[in-house]
Amino acid sequence: MASLLCNARIQLTETLEKMQQGTLMRKVKSKSWKKQRFFKLQDDCMTIWYQSKRTGKIESAFSISDVETVREGHQSEVLQSLAEEFPPERCFTIVFYGRRGNLDLIAGTEEEAQCWVQGLRQLIEVATSMDQRERIDQWIRDWFQKADKNKDGRMNFKEVQRLLKMMNVDMNEDHALRLFQAADKSESGTLEGEEFVLFYKALTEREEVQSLFQEFSEDGKKLTLLELVDFLRQEQLEEEGTEELAMELIDKYEPSETARARHVLSADGFLMYLCSPEGSIFNPQHRALWQDMTQPLCHYFISSSHNTYLIEDQIRGQSSIEGYIRALKRGCRCLEVDCWDGPNGEPIVYHGHTFTSKIPFREVVSTLGKYAFQASDFPVILSLENHCSMEQQEVLAQQLKDILGEQLLTATTDGRVPTQLPSPEELKHKILLKGKKIGRLEDTLDGPGDEVPDVSDDDNGAEAEEERRRMKKDRESLAQALSDCVVYCKNVSFRGFQEARNHSRPSEISSLSEAKARKLIRDAGNEFVRHNTWQLTRIYPSGMRTDSSNYSPQEMWNAGCQIVALNFQTAGMEMDLCDGLFNQNGHCGYVLKPPFMRDEGTLFNPSDPSTWQGPGPVTLTIQVISGQQLPKVANSKDGAIIDPLVRVEIHGVPADQAHQETKYIENNGFNPHWDETLQFQLHVPQLALVRFVVEDYDKTSRNDFVGQFTLAFANIKPGYRHIHLLSKDGTGIPPSSLFVHIRITEPPGPEQD
């Protein structure tokens, strides 16, 4: 049984054995909440559970695959607050993927802390480097662990029935018993080791994949190299280097060594390929950095966060450096910081005039310096909301320079007045401050002073006078040292597209509320798109959204707005769209806008179809075939089996916005079959995002969310594809997936003479 329970890649070291024996540690939630819990690594080496010392009740469990990293020492606000009580050598933090809160722990001794830190890191490395086959084995082990109630390493029929319900399978007892007896080779009345593997494989047999395999296989048992090439060309529309690709897939996904040596693919290998990244709906070549990064900054959509320091609501929520770490790790490139005067001459960050907690500005800057370029090399824009006195503004400037050093951009890239913004490539590893600035950028490059250009006519004279007045006002409220830190992102009030064009300063940026932006899109859609070809615009959520809800970023992207700030802490459709747009291009936080949004003379207006160029709409045809091992609805009553349906949503220009859904399948979350075809017309496919949502149908109330996956239309691969579903949080829920067939039909081009 041990072979099934423990991952073959894991060498049982002394450290892991100690973790399996268990350790008593303090779980910490605040300065006053510190409780003893007994932590134990399970026999599978992939699950950890902990129980209350007082009640002995198992409190919680988590899988190693849920853990992103382990931080040693006082690396969280809670542990920092206990620094005088507990030495850093005994403290560590377990950081989970998604929005799940961290786990702060204090071990009894330095040795125990080291044992868990090193052991967890070893296991995380194994979990992240597992290939497709090992992952499947791991799922089998996970299910076995969950269902083996009495932990005797074998499973009787009653335990199997419980397992089926846990797996979202509604199977009649006779059929379940037949599968059980077929797998029970030893006829012992229980399944152990390889018998359980057989049972799982029988359970997860995929008829729809089998019939597809047989369509291309002459003998029904294998695909020869040429048969696989035919499948890749005809169905998957792979065009270049198909033979090389076929060889690669056989090497990577064929489990049998003999078949690999003969360059053939078995049915098992074929299924492995279809479930792999190469068989995914997301074009694997677009996962890496694939776009031109040498265009001006305003030619990109930029992943942007609002009130980054908040991890809950806007009124009473907690402010935390964790908000910055999470956003930066997701590839966010524009962060917001609200600064106010703090005690002892130290500026603080919080949502002013509310009950949100406060953090020192110094800590935010240190966190930024440490995490800014872990997920992406491209520039970070720090949007500064400055409410500080002149004295503390001096401190802000000093802390930015001292802590960030060379990372902080304090001069133009070439020392000249910019005629256009520099590119992400030119600004690699730089942090740009966005804020108010005294006077114009050209004045600081010529040396400080009150010079205003010579003016001849009256109009310009009035304008110069206005400029002087504004400069004087800024000098009274803004510290010169802080003003000097602002180079390419000078905050200016928006006074209309014409005035912005007259001044033509690419280094200025306006921030607009979502309502103001909507009005501009409605009244002057094309002007807005043109404005965004040469200058940056930032959009932020309405002040009424005290619950940290979000607006749809799509309508702002449709107008070419680059910095569309969202509350990253709030899961939902809006953040799915944000993740869907930015999970391409190496997750670097920058996505190049389509050509018609980078041309200053563009006629494009998102609301006016007569301004769209192109031969006509693209047709997207999606056959929703089946679902695999869909998760249960969180907090569902008595673990009910779901009735799943699939909804496909198109988010794009108003004329492309659409959604269609399949019928629901009763009582089957394990392997539902829909076999339904949905079809959409896309007039501006370059801006379209496609969101696949699985819901649990409920005839009396709103359907419950089960899983989703969102991607830009440009990243879709045609053919037979799996869609690997994500939770509400945007984290993976393997092995949950949808199996679909995608066809993209381009409109006919202009007729040739």
Side-chain angles (χ1 to χ4, degrees):
M1 191 62 220
S3 66
L4 176 65
L5 279 178
C6 201
N7 188 308
R9 289 267 291 280
I10 297 170
Q11 300 301 311
L12 257 186
T13 57
E14 193 183 332
T15 301
L16 296 183
E17 281 175 353
K18 278 185 187 159
M19 289 167 72
Q20 286 184 338
Q21 287 157 18
T23 310
L24 199 58
M25 294 189 272
R26 278 191 180 87
K27 177 184 172 186
V28 189
K29 285 189 182 177
S30 68
K31 207 164 177 175
S32 56
W33 198 103
K34 308 185 282 281
K35 302 213 170 150
Q36 297 252 328
R37 296 289 182 265
F38 187 68
F39 284 79
K40 190 171 189 293
L41 176 67
Q42 296 302 286
D43 292 343
D44 68 346
C45 289
M46 278 285 146
T47 317
I48 286 163
W49 60 244
Y50 52 97
Q51 63 190 129
S52 162
K53 169 136 191 291
R54 195 172 51 80
T55 63
K57 187 169 110 262
I58 292 184
E59 193 172 278
S60 192
F62 59 87
S63 167
I64 295 292
S65 54
D66 296 333
V67 180
E68 186 182 342
T69 188
V70 182
R71 299 188 202 139
E72 287 181 80
H74 299 142
Q75 294 248 28
S76 74
E77 283 133 314
V78 174
L79 291 174
Q80 277 165 12
S81 72
L82 294 165
E84 289 178 18
E85 212 178 321
F86 299 100
E89 296 78 22
R90 284 170 52 194
C91 302
F92 63 99
T93 302
I94 297 175
V95 181
F96 296 97
Y97 287 107
R99 292 178 180 82
R100 180 172 175 172
N102 297 346
L103 189 53
D104 288 315
L105 299 173
I106 301 169
T109 67
E110 187 182 331
E111 292 71 38
E112 284 176 349
Q114 269 310 303
C115 169
W116 278 83
V117 168
Q118 299 308 329
L120 283 166
R121 284 180 178 162
Q122 180 193 340
L123 296 173
I124 292 165
E125 197 172 322
V126 171
T128 48
S129 63
M130 279 196 275
D131 65 23
Q132 192 74 10
R133 227 162 307 153
E134 289 170 317
R135 269 168 221 265
I136 291 171
D137 290 344
Q138 186 55 46
W139 298 328
I140 297 174
R141 277 194 294 274
D142 286 349
W143 283 120
F144 192 94
Q145 283 283 109
K146 285 177 189 160
D148 183 14
K149 253 315 197 225
N150 58 7
K151 303 282 177 256
D152 64 352
R154 56 185 57 162
M155 208 173 300
N156 59 33
F157 185 58
K158 199 167 175 202
E159 287 175 318
V160 162
Q161 283 178 295
R162 190 187 303 109
L163 170 72
L164 293 174
K165 194 158 186 207
M166 283 160 72
M167 289 174 104
N168 240 334
V169 184
D170 183 26
M171 188 183 282
N172 77 42
E173 199 169 319
D174 291 347
H175 185 50
L177 186 60
R178 274 200 300 280
L179 285 181
F180 179 87
Q181 287 168 339
D184 180 16
K185 300 288 185 201
S186 61
E187 297 183 359
S188 61
T190 59
L191 302 181
E192 47 190 306
E194 291 312 307
E195 292 178 337
F196 182 73
V197 176
L198 279 177
F199 175 75
Y200 181 90
K201 296 247 165 98
L203 202 57
T204 52
E205 197 105 294
R206 299 271 303 274
E207 285 167 29
E208 74 280 27
V209 173
Q210 196 57 38
S211 62
L212 182 60
F213 177 79
Q214 300 200 318
E215 222 178 287
F216 284 84
S217 161
E218 201 176 321
D219 67 0
K221 294 192 181 108
K222 64 179 184 308
L223 286 177
T224 64
L225 188 62
L226 289 178
E227 286 169 343
L228 179 56
V229 166
D230 283 348
F231 172 76
L232 293 173
R233 281 189 184 143
Q234 289 170 35
E235 294 295 348
Q236 308 299 73
L237 304 188
E238 301 284 3
E239 285 157 1
E240 289 161 29
T242 328
E243 278 95 345
E244 289 88 334
L245 176 63
M247 287 287 284
E248 228 172 87
L249 295 175
I250 291 170
D251 277 347
K252 214 165 172 185
Y253 300 116
E254 175 48 57
S256 149
E257 271 181 52
T258 333
R260 279 203 302 275
R262 290 169 49 217
H263 303 317
V264 298
L265 194 65
S266 65
D268 273 355
F270 183 64
L271 177 58
M272 286 280 209
Y273 149 63
L274 286 175
C275 293
S276 75
E278 287 91 342
S280 152
I281 188 170
F282 197 109
N283 184 341
Q285 288 168 335
H286 287 193
R287 284 252 180 236
L289 199 67
W290 67 283
Q291 292 183 325
D292 173 9
M293 301 306 287
T294 63
Q295 307 231 4
L297 223 45
C298 52
H299 286 185
Y300 297 84
F301 296 120
I302 303 171
S303 176
S304 307
S305 146
H306 171 248
N307 287 355
T308 316
Y309 49 88
L310 292 181
I311 52 177
E312 294 162 26
D313 68 46
Q314 310 278 313
I315 305 292
R316 297 174 181 279
Q318 190 190 348
S319 303
S320 168
I321 50 170
E322 212 52 56
Y324 290 95
I325 296 172
R326 286 179 193 175
L328 287 165
K329 284 194 156 180
R330 286 175 90 149
C332 180
R333 297 287 88 189
C334 182
L335 310 167
E336 190 179 6
V337 59
D338 271 11
C339 297
W340 300 79
D341 280 3
N344 312 321
E346 285 268 337
I348 52 172
V349 173
Y350 81 111
H351 199 197
H353 310 303
T354 65
F355 301 103
T356 59
S357 57
K358 303 168 175 68
I359 37 179
F361 179 71
R362 172 192 300 280
E363 278 186 29
V364 172
V365 182
S366 301
T367 302
L368 182 57
K370 186 173 175 185
Y371 289 95
F373 304 108
Q374 284 192 8
S376 166
D377 295 332
F378 295 106
V380 169
I381 298 167
L382 185 63
S383 182
L384 183 71
E385 287 280 324
N386 170 16
H387 307 276
C388 291
S389 61
M390 290 290 254
E391 296 75 36
Q392 293 212 5
Q393 286 182 40
E394 296 281 353
V395 179
L396 289 178
Q398 203 52 53
Q399 290 183 351
L400 283 164
K401 288 177 191 160
D402 290 351
I403 297 168
L404 298 178
E406 288 291 296
Q407 289 182 322
L408 183 69
L409 187 87
T410 52
T412 57
T413 50
D414 57 4
R416 288 203 196 81
V417 178
T419 53
Q420 63 173 31
L421 284 165
S423 69
E425 185 62 42
E426 288 173 278
L427 294 169
K428 264 185 171 176
H429 300 119
K430 289 292 178 193
I431 293 167
L432 282 59
L433 191 66
K434 174 181 121 24
K436 288 185 176 166
K437 187 171 182 66
I438 299 168
R440 303 165 311 167
L441 182 57
E442 45 266 50
D443 301 335
T444 52
L445 291 172
D446 300 335
D450 292 331
E451 312 93 11
V452 169
D454 290 340
V455 286
S456 47
D457 59 49
D458 290 345
D459 271 358
N460 276 358
E463 205 171 291
E465 194 49 53
E466 171 65 17
E467 190 97 38
R468 272 199 196 95
R469 199 183 58 73
R470 220 175 283 159
M471 218 154 137
K472 185 170 184 301
K473 193 172 165 231
D474 285 345
R475 280 196 192 287
E476 288 163 9
S477 60
L478 188 59
Q480 186 70 49
L482 191 58
S483 167
D484 290 345
C485 294
V486 175
V487 182
Y488 287 117
C489 297
K490 175 189 173 179
N491 273 353
V492 295
S493 300
F494 180 74
R495 294 191 172 85
F497 297 123
Q498 196 48 56
E499 182 166 332
R501 192 69 267 192
N502 290 347
H503 288 139
S504 197
R505 293 186 190 130
S507 59
E508 294 183 343
I509 174 171
S510 299
S511 286
L512 306 170
S513 71
E514 55 175 292
K516 177 80 190 264
R518 271 192 208 102
K519 187 173 184 330
L520 289 171
I521 293 167
R522 204 170 47 243
D523 298 347
N526 174 247
E527 277 188 275
F528 207 173
V529 174
R530 286 186 177 199
H531 175 80
N532 287 325
T533 62
W534 66 275
Q535 198 175 67
L536 290 169
T537 304
R538 175 176 173 270
I539 313 294
Y540 58 89
S542 149
M544 305 302 286
R545 295 183 181 274
T546 53
D547 58 351
S548 297
S549 62
N550 280 312
Y551 56 96
S552 169
Q554 185 69 46
E555 54 188 327
M556 311 305 171
W557 293 330
N558 289 343
C561 300
Q562 305 86 347
I563 300 178
V564 179
L566 296 177
N567 290 307
F568 268 46
Q569 72 272 37
T570 307
M573 178 267 288
E574 299 83 5
M575 270 311 294
D576 293 345
L577 295 179
C578 181
D579 290 341
L581 178 65
F582 291 106
N583 65 8
Q584 59 176 316
N585 206 29
H587 236 113
C588 76
Y590 287 84
V591 168
L592 189 63
K593 297 199 275 190
F596 57 81
M597 298 191 108
R598 311 196 302 259
D599 166 14
E600 287 189 27
T602 184
L603 299 173
F604 179 77
N605 177 346
S607 311
D608 180 359
S610 70
T611 65
W612 306 339
Q613 293 165 336
V618 165
T619 304
L620 172 65
T621 308
I622 300 167
Q623 185 193 357
V624 181
I625 303 169
S626 60
Q628 293 73 45
Q629 301 184 52
L630 304 174
K632 292 208 159 183
V633 170
N635 312 322
S636 65
K637 45 192 180 304
D638 68 23
I641 288 166
I642 63 170
D643 305 329
L645 62 84
V646 178
R647 186 172 63 253
V648 178
E649 303 168 353
I650 307 293
H651 297 263
V653 295
D656 287 350
Q657 292 279 132
H659 62 87
Q660 292 178 34
E661 55 188 42
T662 65
K663 61 182 181 298
Y664 68 91
I665 305 287
E666 235 172 297
N667 271 352
N668 186 353
F670 188 69
N671 55 0
H673 278 248
W674 292 280
D675 281 318
E676 286 189 57
T677 300
L678 313 176
Q679 198 167 69
F680 302 92
Q681 304 287 312
L682 304 183
H683 300 82
V684 188
Q686 301 92 327
L687 287 173
L689 288 165
V690 185
R691 182 171 182 252
F692 295 84
V693 192
V694 181
E695 288 183 343
D696 177 16
Y697 173 76
D698 193 322
K699 60 175 173 289
T700 55
S701 61
R702 275 182 58 185
N703 294 348
D704 287 311
F705 174 90
V706 173
Q708 69 83 32
F709 187 76
T710 307
L711 76 169
F713 173 80
N715 297 325
I716 290 179
K717 284 281 271 184
Y720 285 97
R721 302 285 166 190
H722 276 95
I723 296 168
H724 300 284
L725 295 172
L726 304 175
S727 68
K728 206 174 189 127
D729 249 0
T731 52
I733 36 177
S736 302
S737 61
L738 295 175
F739 187 48
V740 297
H741 182 268
I742 305 280
R743 193 165 72 249
I744 295 166
T745 317
E746 302 281 346
E751 287 185 22
Q752 304 294 312
D753 291 336

